[in-house]
Coordinates of all heavy atoms in Angstrom, one line a residue:
M25 N -111.6 -177.0 59.1 CA -111.2 -177.5 57.8 C -111.6 -179.0 57.7 O -111.6 -179.7 58.7 CB -109.7 -177.4 57.7 CG -109.2 -177.8 56.3 SD -107.4 -178.2 56.3 CE -106.7 -176.5 56.5
L26 N -112.0 -179.4 56.6 CA -112.5 -180.8 56.4 C -111.3 -181.7 56.3 O -110.3 -181.5 55.6 CB -113.2 -180.9 55.1 CG -113.8 -182.2 54.7 CD1 -114.9 -182.6 55.7 CD2 -114.3 -182.3 53.3
V27 N -111.4 -182.7 57.1 CA -110.4 -183.8 57.2 C -111.0 -185.1 56.7 O -112.1 -185.4 57.1 CB -109.8 -183.9 58.6 CG1 -108.8 -185.0 58.7 CG2 -109.2 -182.6 59.1
R28 N -110.2 -185.8 55.9 CA -110.7 -187.1 55.5 C -109.6 -188.2 55.8 O -108.4 -187.9 55.7 CB -110.9 -187.1 54.0 CG -112.3 -186.8 53.5 CD -112.3 -186.8 52.0 NE -113.3 -185.9 51.5 CZ -114.6 -186.3 51.4 NH1 -115.0 -187.5 51.8 NH2 -115.5 -185.5 51.0
I29 N -110.1 -189.4 56.1 CA -109.1 -190.4 56.3 C -109.4 -191.5 55.2 O -110.5 -191.6 54.6 CB -109.3 -191.1 57.6 CG1 -110.7 -191.5 57.9 CG2 -108.7 -190.2 58.7 CD1 -110.9 -192.4 59.1
K30 N -108.3 -192.2 54.9 CA -108.5 -193.3 54.0 C -107.5 -194.4 54.4 O -106.4 -194.2 54.8 CB -108.1 -192.9 52.6 CG -108.3 -194.0 51.6 CD -108.8 -193.4 50.2 CE -109.1 -194.6 49.3 NZ -110.0 -195.6 49.9
V31 N -108.0 -195.7 54.4 CA -107.1 -196.8 54.8 C -106.6 -197.4 53.4 O -107.4 -197.7 52.6 CB -107.8 -197.9 55.6 CG1 -106.9 -199.1 55.8 CG2 -108.3 -197.3 56.9
D32 N -105.3 -197.5 53.3 CA -104.7 -198.1 52.2 C -104.7 -199.6 52.4 O -104.0 -200.2 53.1 CB -103.2 -197.6 52.0 CG -102.6 -198.1 50.8 OD1 -103.0 -199.2 50.3 OD2 -101.6 -197.5 50.3
A33 N -105.7 -200.2 51.6 CA -105.9 -201.7 51.8 C -104.7 -202.5 51.5 O -104.5 -203.6 52.0 CB -107.1 -202.1 51.0
D34 N -103.8 -202.0 50.6 CA -102.6 -202.7 50.3 C -101.6 -202.7 51.4 O -100.8 -203.7 51.5 CB -101.9 -202.1 49.0 CG -102.8 -202.3 47.8 OD1 -103.6 -203.3 47.8 OD2 -102.7 -201.5 46.9
K35 N -101.6 -201.7 52.2 CA -100.7 -201.6 53.3 C -101.2 -202.2 54.7 O -100.4 -202.6 55.5 CB -100.3 -200.1 53.6 CG -99.4 -199.6 52.5 CD -99.0 -198.2 52.9 CE -98.1 -197.5 51.8 NZ -98.0 -196.1 52.1
C36 N -102.5 -202.1 54.8 CA -103.1 -202.5 56.1 C -102.8 -204.0 56.4 O -103.0 -204.9 55.5 CB -104.6 -202.3 56.1 SG -105.4 -202.9 57.6
Q37 N -102.3 -204.3 57.6 CA -102.0 -205.7 58.0 C -102.9 -206.1 59.1 O -102.6 -207.2 59.7 CB -100.5 -205.8 58.4 CG -99.5 -205.5 57.2 CD -99.6 -206.5 56.1 OE1 -99.8 -207.7 56.4 NE2 -99.5 -206.1 54.9
G38 N -103.9 -205.4 59.4 CA -104.8 -205.8 60.5 C -104.3 -205.6 61.9 O -104.7 -206.4 62.8
H39 N -103.5 -204.6 62.1 CA -103.0 -204.4 63.5 C -104.1 -203.8 64.4 O -103.9 -203.9 65.7 CB -101.8 -203.4 63.5 CG -100.6 -204.0 62.9 ND1 -99.9 -205.0 63.4 CD2 -100.0 -203.7 61.7 CE1 -98.9 -205.3 62.6 NE2 -98.9 -204.5 61.6
N40 N -105.1 -203.3 63.8 CA -106.3 -202.9 64.6 C -106.1 -201.7 65.6 O -107.0 -201.4 66.3 CB -106.7 -204.1 65.5 CG -108.1 -204.5 65.1 OD1 -109.0 -203.7 65.1 ND2 -108.2 -205.8 64.8
R41 N -105.0 -201.0 65.5 CA -104.8 -199.9 66.4 C -105.7 -198.7 66.1 O -106.2 -198.0 66.9 CB -103.3 -199.4 66.4 CG -102.4 -200.5 66.9 CD -101.1 -199.8 67.2 NE -100.1 -200.9 67.4 CZ -98.8 -200.6 67.4 NH1 -98.3 -199.4 67.2 NH2 -97.9 -201.6 67.5
C42 N -105.9 -198.6 64.8 CA -106.8 -197.4 64.3 C -108.1 -197.6 64.9 O -108.7 -196.6 65.5 CB -106.8 -197.4 62.8 SG -107.3 -199.0 62.1
Y43 N -108.7 -198.8 64.9 CA -110.0 -199.1 65.4 C -110.1 -198.9 66.9 O -111.0 -198.4 67.5 CB -110.5 -200.5 65.0 CG -111.8 -200.8 65.5 CD1 -113.0 -200.2 64.9 CD2 -112.0 -201.7 66.5 CE1 -114.2 -200.5 65.4 CE2 -113.2 -202.0 67.0 CZ -114.4 -201.5 66.5 OH -115.6 -201.8 66.9
S44 N -109.0 -199.4 67.6 CA -109.0 -199.2 69.1 C -109.0 -197.8 69.5 O -109.6 -197.4 70.5 CB -107.7 -199.9 69.6 OG -107.6 -201.2 69.2
L45 N -108.2 -197.0 68.7 CA -108.1 -195.6 69.1 C -109.3 -194.7 68.7 O -109.6 -193.7 69.3 CB -106.8 -195.0 68.5 CG -105.5 -195.5 69.1 CD1 -104.3 -195.2 68.2 CD2 -105.3 -195.0 70.5
A46 N -109.9 -195.1 67.6 CA -110.9 -194.3 67.0 C -112.0 -195.1 66.3 O -112.2 -195.1 65.1 CB -110.4 -193.3 66.0
P47 N -112.8 -195.8 67.2 CA -113.9 -196.7 66.6 C -114.9 -195.9 65.9 O -115.7 -196.4 65.1 CB -114.4 -197.4 67.8 CG -114.0 -196.6 69.0 CD -112.7 -195.9 68.6
E48 N -115.0 -194.6 66.2 CA -115.9 -193.7 65.5 C -115.6 -193.5 64.0 O -116.4 -193.2 63.2 CB -116.0 -192.3 66.1 CG -116.2 -192.3 67.6 CD -114.9 -192.3 68.4 OE1 -113.9 -192.8 67.9 OE2 -115.0 -191.8 69.5
L49 N -114.3 -193.8 63.7 CA -113.8 -193.5 62.3 C -113.5 -194.7 61.5 O -113.4 -194.6 60.2 CB -112.6 -192.6 62.4 CG -112.7 -191.3 63.2 CD1 -111.4 -190.6 63.3 CD2 -113.7 -190.4 62.5
F50 N -113.4 -195.9 62.1 CA -112.9 -197.1 61.4 C -113.8 -198.3 61.7 O -114.4 -198.4 62.8 CB -111.5 -197.5 61.8 CG -110.5 -196.4 61.5 CD1 -110.2 -195.5 62.5 CD2 -109.8 -196.4 60.3 CE1 -109.2 -194.5 62.2 CE2 -108.9 -195.4 60.1 CZ -108.6 -194.5 61.0
D51 N -113.9 -199.1 60.7 CA -114.6 -200.4 60.8 C -113.5 -201.5 60.6 O -112.5 -201.2 59.9 CB -115.6 -200.5 59.7 CG -117.0 -200.6 60.2 OD1 -117.2 -201.0 61.4 OD2 -117.9 -200.2 59.5
V52 N -113.7 -202.6 61.2 CA -112.8 -203.7 60.9 C -113.6 -204.9 60.4 O -114.7 -205.2 60.9 CB -111.9 -204.1 62.1 CG1 -110.8 -203.1 62.3 CG2 -112.7 -204.3 63.3
D53 N -113.0 -205.7 59.5 CA -113.7 -206.8 59.0 C -113.3 -208.0 59.9 O -112.6 -207.9 60.9 CB -113.4 -207.1 57.5 CG -112.0 -207.5 57.3 OD1 -111.2 -207.8 58.2 OD2 -111.6 -207.4 56.1
D54 N -113.8 -209.2 59.5 CA -113.6 -210.4 60.4 C -112.1 -210.8 60.5 O -111.7 -211.5 61.4 CB -114.3 -211.6 59.8 CG -115.8 -211.4 59.9 OD1 -116.3 -210.5 60.7 OD2 -116.6 -212.1 59.2
Y55 N -111.3 -210.3 59.6 CA -109.9 -210.6 59.7 C -109.1 -209.5 60.3 O -107.8 -209.6 60.4 CB -109.3 -210.8 58.2 CG -110.1 -211.9 57.5 CD1 -111.1 -211.6 56.7 CD2 -109.8 -213.3 57.8 CE1 -111.8 -212.7 56.0 CE2 -110.5 -214.3 57.2 CZ -111.5 -214.0 56.3 OH -112.2 -215.0 55.7
G56 N -109.7 -208.4 60.8 CA -109.1 -207.3 61.4 C -108.6 -206.2 60.5 O -108.0 -205.3 61.0
Y57 N -108.9 -206.4 59.3 CA -108.5 -205.3 58.3 C -109.4 -204.1 58.4 O -110.7 -204.3 58.5 CB -108.4 -205.8 56.9 CG -107.3 -206.8 56.7 CD1 -107.6 -208.2 56.6 CD2 -106.0 -206.4 56.5 CE1 -106.6 -209.1 56.5 CE2 -105.0 -207.3 56.3 CZ -105.3 -208.7 56.3 OH -104.3 -209.6 56.1
A58 N -108.9 -202.9 58.4 CA -109.7 -201.8 58.6 C -110.1 -201.1 57.3 O -109.4 -201.1 56.3 CB -108.9 -200.8 59.5
T59 N -111.3 -200.4 57.4 CA -111.7 -199.5 56.4 C -112.2 -198.2 57.1 O -112.6 -198.3 58.2 CB -112.8 -200.1 55.5 OG1 -113.8 -200.6 56.4 CG2 -112.3 -201.2 54.6
E60 N -112.2 -197.1 56.4 CA -112.8 -195.9 56.9 C -114.3 -196.1 56.9 O -114.9 -196.7 56.0 CB -112.3 -194.7 56.1 CG -112.7 -194.6 54.7 CD -111.9 -195.5 53.8 OE1 -110.9 -196.1 54.2 OE2 -112.2 -195.6 52.6
I61 N -114.9 -195.5 57.9 CA -116.4 -195.5 57.9 C -116.9 -194.5 56.9 O -116.4 -193.4 56.8 CB -116.9 -195.2 59.3 CG1 -116.7 -196.4 60.2 CG2 -118.4 -194.8 59.3 CD1 -117.1 -196.2 61.7
G62 N -117.9 -194.9 56.2 CA -118.6 -194.0 55.2 C -117.6 -193.6 54.2 O -116.8 -194.4 53.6
D63 N -117.6 -192.3 53.9 CA -116.7 -191.8 52.8 C -115.4 -191.3 53.4 O -114.6 -190.6 52.7 CB -117.3 -190.7 51.9 CG -117.7 -189.5 52.7 OD1 -117.5 -189.5 54.0 OD2 -118.3 -188.6 52.1
G64 N -115.2 -191.5 54.7 CA -113.9 -191.1 55.3 C -113.9 -189.7 55.9 O -112.9 -189.3 56.5
E65 N -115.0 -189.0 55.8 CA -115.1 -187.7 56.3 C -115.0 -187.7 57.8 O -115.8 -188.4 58.4 CB -116.3 -187.0 55.8 CG -116.3 -185.5 56.0 CD -117.5 -184.9 55.3 OE1 -117.9 -185.2 54.1 OE2 -118.2 -184.0 56.0
V66 N -114.1 -187.0 58.4 CA -114.0 -187.0 59.8 C -114.9 -185.9 60.4 O -114.8 -184.7 60.1 CB -112.5 -186.7 60.2 CG1 -112.4 -186.5 61.7 CG2 -111.6 -187.7 59.7
P67 N -115.8 -186.3 61.3 CA -116.7 -185.4 61.9 C -115.9 -184.3 62.8 O -114.9 -184.7 63.3 CB -117.6 -186.2 62.8 CG -117.5 -187.6 62.3 CD -116.1 -187.7 61.8
E68 N -116.5 -183.1 62.9 CA -115.8 -182.1 63.6 C -115.6 -182.6 65.0 O -116.4 -183.2 65.7 CB -116.8 -180.9 63.7 CG -116.0 -179.6 63.6 CD -116.9 -178.4 63.6 OE1 -117.9 -178.4 62.8 OE2 -116.7 -177.5 64.5
G69 N -114.4 -182.3 65.5 CA -114.0 -182.7 66.9 C -113.2 -184.0 66.9 O -112.6 -184.3 68.0
L70 N -113.2 -184.7 65.9 CA -112.5 -186.0 65.9 C -111.2 -185.9 65.1 O -110.6 -187.0 64.8 CB -113.4 -187.1 65.3 CG -114.6 -187.5 66.2 CD1 -115.5 -188.6 65.5 CD2 -114.2 -187.9 67.6
E71 N -110.8 -184.8 64.7 CA -109.6 -184.6 63.8 C -108.4 -185.1 64.6 O -107.5 -185.8 64.0 CB -109.4 -183.2 63.4 CG -110.5 -182.6 62.5 CD -111.6 -182.0 63.3 OE1 -111.7 -182.2 64.5 OE2 -112.5 -181.3 62.7
D72 N -108.3 -184.8 65.9 CA -107.1 -185.3 66.6 C -107.1 -186.8 66.7 O -106.0 -187.4 66.6 CB -107.1 -184.7 68.0 CG -106.7 -183.2 68.0 OD1 -106.3 -182.7 67.0 OD2 -106.9 -182.6 69.1
K73 N -108.2 -187.4 66.9 CA -108.3 -188.9 66.9 C -107.9 -189.5 65.6 O -107.2 -190.5 65.5 CB -109.7 -189.3 67.2 CG -110.0 -189.5 68.7 CD -111.3 -190.3 68.9 CE -111.4 -190.7 70.3 NZ -112.5 -191.7 70.5
A74 N -108.3 -188.8 64.5 CA -107.9 -189.3 63.2 C -106.3 -189.2 63.0 O -105.7 -190.2 62.6 CB -108.5 -188.4 62.1
R75 N -105.8 -188.2 63.5 CA -104.3 -188.0 63.4 C -103.6 -189.0 64.3 O -102.6 -189.6 63.9 CB -103.9 -186.6 63.7 CG -104.3 -185.6 62.7 CD -103.7 -184.2 62.9 NE -104.3 -183.3 62.0 CZ -105.3 -182.5 62.3 NH1 -105.8 -182.5 63.5 NH2 -105.9 -181.7 61.4
L76 N -104.2 -189.2 65.5 CA -103.6 -190.2 66.4 C -103.6 -191.6 65.8 O -102.6 -192.4 65.9 CB -104.4 -190.2 67.7 CG -103.9 -191.0 68.9 CD1 -102.6 -190.4 69.4 CD2 -104.9 -191.1 70.0
A77 N -104.7 -191.9 65.2 CA -104.8 -193.3 64.5 C -103.8 -193.4 63.4 O -103.1 -194.4 63.3 CB -106.3 -193.5 64.0
A78 N -103.7 -192.4 62.6 CA -102.7 -192.4 61.5 C -101.3 -192.6 62.1 O -100.5 -193.4 61.6 CB -102.8 -191.1 60.7
A79 N -101.0 -191.8 63.2 CA -99.6 -191.9 63.7 C -99.3 -193.2 64.4 O -98.2 -193.6 64.5 CB -99.5 -190.8 64.8
N80 N -100.4 -194.0 64.8 CA -100.2 -195.2 65.5 C -100.3 -196.5 64.6 O -100.1 -197.6 65.1 CB -101.1 -195.3 66.6 CG -100.6 -194.6 67.8 OD1 -99.9 -195.1 68.6 ND2 -101.1 -193.4 68.0
C81 N -100.5 -196.3 63.3 CA -100.6 -197.4 62.4 C -99.1 -197.8 62.0 O -98.4 -197.0 61.4 CB -101.4 -197.2 61.2 SG -101.3 -198.6 60.0
P82 N -98.7 -199.0 62.4 CA -97.3 -199.4 62.2 C -97.0 -199.6 60.7 O -95.9 -199.6 60.3 CB -97.2 -200.8 62.8 CG -98.4 -201.0 63.7 CD -99.4 -200.1 63.2
E83 N -98.0 -199.7 59.9 CA -97.9 -199.9 58.4 C -98.0 -198.6 57.6 O -98.0 -198.6 56.4 CB -98.9 -200.9 57.9 CG -98.9 -202.2 58.7 CD -97.6 -203.0 58.6 OE1 -96.9 -202.8 57.6 OE2 -97.4 -203.8 59.5
F84 N -98.3 -197.5 58.3 CA -98.5 -196.2 57.7 C -99.7 -196.3 56.7 O -99.6 -195.8 55.6 CB -97.3 -195.7 57.0 CG -96.1 -195.5 58.0 CD1 -95.1 -196.5 57.9 CD2 -96.1 -194.5 58.9 CE1 -94.0 -196.4 58.8 CE2 -95.0 -194.4 59.8 CZ -94.0 -195.3 59.8
A85 N -100.7 -197.1 57.1 CA -101.8 -197.4 56.1 C -102.9 -196.4 56.2 O -103.8 -196.4 55.4 CB -102.3 -198.8 56.4
V86 N -102.9 -195.6 57.3 CA -104.0 -194.6 57.5 C -103.5 -193.3 56.9 O -102.6 -192.7 57.4 CB -104.4 -194.4 59.0 CG1 -105.4 -193.3 59.1 CG2 -104.8 -195.7 59.6
L87 N -104.2 -192.9 55.8 CA -103.9 -191.6 55.2 C -104.8 -190.5 55.6 O -106.0 -190.7 55.8 CB -104.0 -191.8 53.6 CG -103.3 -193.1 53.1 CD1 -103.6 -193.2 51.6 CD2 -101.8 -193.0 53.4
I88 N -104.3 -189.3 55.8 CA -105.0 -188.2 56.2 C -105.0 -187.2 55.0 O -103.9 -186.8 54.5 CB -104.5 -187.5 57.4 CG1 -104.3 -188.5 58.6 CG2 -105.3 -186.3 57.8 CD1 -105.3 -188.4 59.7
E89 N -106.2 -186.7 54.6 CA -106.2 -185.7 53.6 C -106.9 -184.5 54.2 O -108.0 -184.6 54.8 CB -107.1 -186.2 52.4 CG -106.6 -187.4 51.7 CD -107.6 -188.1 50.8 OE1 -108.7 -187.5 50.6 OE2 -107.3 -189.2 50.4
E90 N -106.2 -183.4 54.1 CA -106.9 -182.1 54.6 C -106.5 -180.9 53.8 O -105.7 -181.0 52.9 CB -106.5 -181.9 56.1 CG -105.1 -182.0 56.5 CD -104.9 -182.0 58.0 OE1 -105.6 -181.2 58.6 OE2 -104.2 -182.8 58.5
Ligands
F3S29 FE1 -104.6 -201.7 59.4 FE2 -103.0 -199.9 60.5 FE3 -105.4 -200.1 61.3 S1 -102.5 -202.0 59.8 S2 -106.0 -202.2 61.0 S3 -104.8 -199.5 59.3 S4 -103.7 -199.8 62.6

């Protein structure tokens, strides 16, 4: 099943946990704020990492769509 991630820029406070846990899925800017890579489509096999990143964001800024 196709999984997508999205970072809610209004909620992200730059904790960087998403990027630490799943650098394949997130980019961070110079201030530590994250964005999803590309259009947020999670490559096959990385779904668990996407969920882990979402679960570990203290701001609940990582959204998972599936
Ligand atoms: Fe932002 Fe949460 Fe990642 S606050 S940098 S989306 S861990």
Side-chain angles (χ1 to χ4, degrees):
M25 189 199 287
L26 180 68
V27 178
R28 268 178 207 279
I29 51 165
K30 180 146 189 54
V31 178
D32 184 334
D34 292 334
K35 289 187 182 167
C36 175
Q37 297 293 325
H39 291 291
N40 245 305
R41 292 196 198 167
C42 53
Y43 179 72
S44 309
L45 290 165
E48 306 92 334
L49 302 175
F50 299 90
D51 247 335
V52 282
D53 67 14
D54 292 345
Y55 303 98
Y57 293 101
T59 48
E60 63 281 354
I61 286 179
D63 62 0
E65 195 173 313
V66 176
E68 215 180 310
L70 292 180
E71 295 90 348
D72 285 351
K73 271 195 165 190
R75 291 192 189 95
L76 188 69
N80 277 276
C81 174
E83 310 296 333
F84 305 103
V86 177
L87 311 174
I88 304 255
E89 299 164 8
E90 48 189 318

